[in-house]
Amino acid sequence: MLDASGYTVISGPVGSYLAERLAAAIASRNRWNGCVWLRRPQRNLRSLDAALAEACAKRWRADTHPTDDPRRRLERALLGSPEGAVVVVEVTDLTTAIGRLMTGLRPLASDRGVRLVVVAEGLRLPVVRFAPDALVAPAALGGVDGLAARVGLLASAPVAARRLTRLAERRPAVATDLLDAAAVWPHDVLLGALAGRTRTLERVTAALLDLCTPAQRSALETCATTGYWHPQLDTGVVRAADLRPWLVPLEESWSWVRPIWLAPLRRALARRGPSPVVARPAAAGPGSPDDRRLRPPDDRRSRSTGDQGSRSSEDQGSRWTGRGVVEVRLFGGFEVRVDGVVVDFPGRRGRSVLRFLLTRPDRRCPRDQLLEEFWPDVDGRAARNRLQVAVSGLRSALRSATNDHVIEYASGEYRIAPAVRVRTDVEEFEEALGAARSAGRPDVALSAYHQAIDLYRGDFAADVPYESWTLLPRESLRLRYLDALDAAGRIALRTGRIDDCVVTAHRVLEVDPCREDAHRLLMRCYARQGRPHQARRQYELCRRLLAATLSVEPAPETTALYRSIRPR
């Protein structure tokens, strides 16, 4: 898409979300710093020249003269473009003026290595040829009535119809999402959300989320974290088609949360808190632990129904039912559930003391050590009083969920009561890594690695980054997480699961962009896929990152791999 010479025109039907997908591609190639994106320019050629010249000059701080005509200013701005720059013109209607402008700029853009891209999202109509290398389909502004005609609900709701029409004029893809949602959700709820004057996406998301089942909400939590969905992530309860308008089809059975829906969805889910866990009986075949092969692009998953589907119903019962069962989330934000009930702790210091106890050997700690850790600069009596207040608050909060004594004090130390069954996600993470290392079969090891990866929902104690005692375990767990991703990627590559390997390597680079083994893994994957140009570009990205961040050159192994990959 960004490698074509001259300029490129990308077109597709309404609802194909080309602009957002192109933006994601530019971001993945680290091109935003040199990208100029002009949205919906006027049709007049002179005004288009002026608008684009102003945008380029401002973005690249190019030296242009105000007395120059717009075309001359635009050419001067292009001369000041950085390496790998991209100019995108997003239009609703393709005109000859745009074609003439892009054709005229091609020689200069080619000399500077600038990529010129026109994005047109519209209906599929007869093609128009602007230049020898650009075959395009014009956008259609008259598609609103056609969209509205897809469902009969708008005839009885003129206010909602007008609102949808105005929305379709500005965001036709969003209108398509809403009309698709009408096939899934009750019409009266959707119409009520559309009838308001402002914040349409927020109201629609809030209204429909109230109707979601626990399984659907759990699936949406995964989508809000990863941005993607695939049937193999399903528990058998939720289908991707049931999650409209948030999910839209992408390709190869993947669905995608379009960025415009992502923020409202995350805010609505945060207001409602975590969804209940949906258990699924263990079963062989697709969806079972040994068959969890697919992972969505740039996937960074929180607890989801798909995650729970990898554990048996017997295991779920041992953790979530019964008296005195405490489950603790230590990765990412801190969360405690007692017998499945979320505990709300009023004070930050009490949560820190409980987290410290849970990570200690035998879950116990002398009082003096707690005082030294959390109140080092406070005199003895005041520090002991603060500790007692913090523990009292913890006990009061836990009492709302269970009558058991969870925190005890005996022989000068605080401890978690031995009779209380406690499970933490860190312990499960370590157990999954141990199972992966001892597995005799690649598919079993890969499933165990993915179980560990799924549990890592953020850095250890991410909500208290400045508490000194958390630094070492946080870094140690982060390194083990990266090693698990690397091992999973290598297994996927050896077993021919190239797409899974690409996704896993990208997740490594999200955490540590300078990790060369992940760059090499991607290079090997792209070479296997018959994309040597992409592999060589990955090497160039690795080289620039290492130079900018660490002031070093790639390792000989990385350079040797680069030289062995021949362009086609």
Side-chain angles (χ1 to χ4, degrees), residues 144 148 151 153-168 175 178-179 187-197 200 203-204:
V144 176
V151 292
L153 66 96
L154 297 179
S156 60
V159 175
R162 289 195 297 271
R163 178 66 180 164
L164 183 62
T165 300
R166 289 195 297 270
L167 184 64
L178 292 172
L179 290 170
H187 290 177
D188 56 341
V189 176
L190 190 60
L191 290 174
L194 284 172
R197 293 180 177 274
T200 300
R203 289 197 315 277
V204 167

Side-chain angles (χ1 to χ4, degrees), residues 113 143 404 440 487 561:
D404 293 334
L561 177 61

Side-chain angles (χ1 to χ4, degrees), residues 177-187 190 208 211 216 239-246:
D177 294 342
L178 292 172
L179 290 170
D180 285 343
V184 180
W185 303 103
H187 290 177
L190 190 60
L208 298 184
L211 303 179
Q216 288 173 326
R239 300 179 304 130
D242 296 332
L243 299 180
R244 296 290 280 162
W246 306 285

Side-chain angles (χ1 to χ4, degrees), residues 178-248:
L178 292 172
L179 290 170
D180 285 343
V184 180
W185 303 103
H187 290 177
D188 56 341
V189 176
L190 190 60
L191 290 174
L194 284 172
R197 293 180 177 274
T198 58
R199 304 177 67 84
T200 300
L201 275 62
E202 299 277 357
R203 289 197 315 277
V204 167
T205 298
L208 298 184
L209 204 59
D210 288 338
L211 303 179
C212 287
T213 65
Q216 288 173 326
R217 281 184 52 198
S218 184
L220 287 172
E221 289 172 3
T222 297
C223 297
T225 303
T226 67
Y228 292 89
W229 184 256
H230 190 278
Q232 288 192 16
L233 301 178
D234 199 353
T235 64
V237 179
V238 180
R239 300 179 304 130
D242 296 332
L243 299 180
R244 296 290 280 162
W246 306 285
L247 289 189
V248 293

